[in-house]
Amino acid sequence: MGEVSGNFDNKSPLTYSVDLIDCLNTESDSIELKQCLEHFKLLESQSDADFNFFQSSVQDYQEKIDLCKQKTNAAKTEVAADSEIDMLRKELEDELQRESLLSDELRVITNDINDLEHQRGRVEERRQSWRKADKDDSRAQMKLSMYASVTNVVPQLDERSTTSGDMVKREKKIVQNFKFDPLKMTSYDTCSSIWKMINSD
């Protein structure tokens, strides 16, 4: 453990620990979530438009089918020529086939809308999870700031394999680095060493 002395400004360990946590936070997951929500809104809007279009088309074809049926009944009543009846029947069959196709497309769109609703539910769950994570991060940040203010110890959170950090001695304008290898020291010994550093002059 060496001591590094030099010019050290008057910022408190609390400020350094807050800056350290801010540096460690990333916004990539938050950006990804926002993009997912925007994509979902676009898909939902397009699906609603397609649904309304096909529903309107089905109604139009139903009106045409009803009209064809009326013409067919009128033709039968008036004993129209066989050729005209065949033509009306053919027209009715065509309209029925179009209605069937539109119904199939409408069913597909309905399924897509249901899938989007499920996706929206999952996105909402992720949003709630991120809100909880943000609250947990804020609590952890406040705890770390409090610990740093009381003990003058600023841990290096990016070092996962070792217990390391800086002991800030503001009065002497000294920053003392420390690093303990958990494979070489027990947790008790590491804790005792850190407390000795905290209590030393």
Side-chain angles (χ1 to χ4, degrees), residues 155-165 178-187 190:
Q156 293 180 358
L157 301 179
D158 55 340
E159 284 288 339
R160 300 284 183 178
S161 60
T162 61
T163 301
S164 59
F178 64 87
K179 181 180 289 187
F180 301 105
D181 190 343
L183 299 178
K184 298 179 180 179
M185 298 180 65
T186 64
S187 298
T190 300

Side-chain angles (χ1 to χ4, degrees), residues 102-194:
L102 285 172
S103 296
D104 291 339
E105 292 180 5
L106 185 61
R107 185 164 47 252
V108 171
I109 291 174
T110 301
N111 291 336
D112 289 341
I113 291 176
N114 291 335
D115 290 340
L116 287 174
E117 287 295 331
H118 291 308
Q119 290 180 21
R120 181 167 62 180
R122 289 194 295 269
V123 168
E124 185 61 30
E125 288 176 1
R126 287 189 65 187
R127 183 191 296 175
Q128 294 296 333
S129 176
W130 278 111
R131 286 178 180 172
K132 184 179 182 300
D134 287 341
K135 290 181 180 179
D136 292 341
D137 287 345
S138 296
R139 291 192 192 99
Q141 189 176 30
M142 287 187 292
K143 283 183 179 180
L144 183 59
S145 298
M146 181 187 68
Y147 296 154
S149 179
V150 172
T151 64
N152 294 327
V153 175
V154 179
Q156 293 180 358
L157 301 179
D158 55 340
E159 284 288 339
R160 300 284 183 178
S161 60
T162 61
T163 301
S164 59
D166 298 313
M167 173 67 65
V168 180
K169 297 182 179 180
R170 184 177 177 187
E171 298 79 9
K172 297 181 180 181
K173 297 183 179 180
I174 294 175
V175 176
Q176 182 179 0
N177 300 64
F178 64 87
K179 181 180 289 187
F180 301 105
D181 190 343
L183 299 178
K184 298 179 180 179
M185 298 180 65
T186 64
S187 298
Y188 176 80
D189 291 337
T190 300
C191 184
S192 296
S193 298
I194 293 174

Side-chain angles (χ1 to χ4, degrees), residues 23-42:
C23 289
L24 296 175
N25 287 332
T26 60
E27 296 182 355
S28 60
D29 290 331
S30 178
I31 292 173
E32 180 183 352
L33 181 60
K34 290 179 181 178
Q35 290 175 346
C36 184
L37 287 172
E38 291 174 359
H39 181 64
F40 165 75
K41 290 178 180 178
L42 289 174

Side-chain angles (χ1 to χ4, degrees), residues 71-82 84-85:
K71 289 181 180 179
T72 301
N73 292 332
K76 288 180 179 179
T77 302
E78 297 173 359
V79 193
D82 291 341
E84 184 178 355
I85 293 176

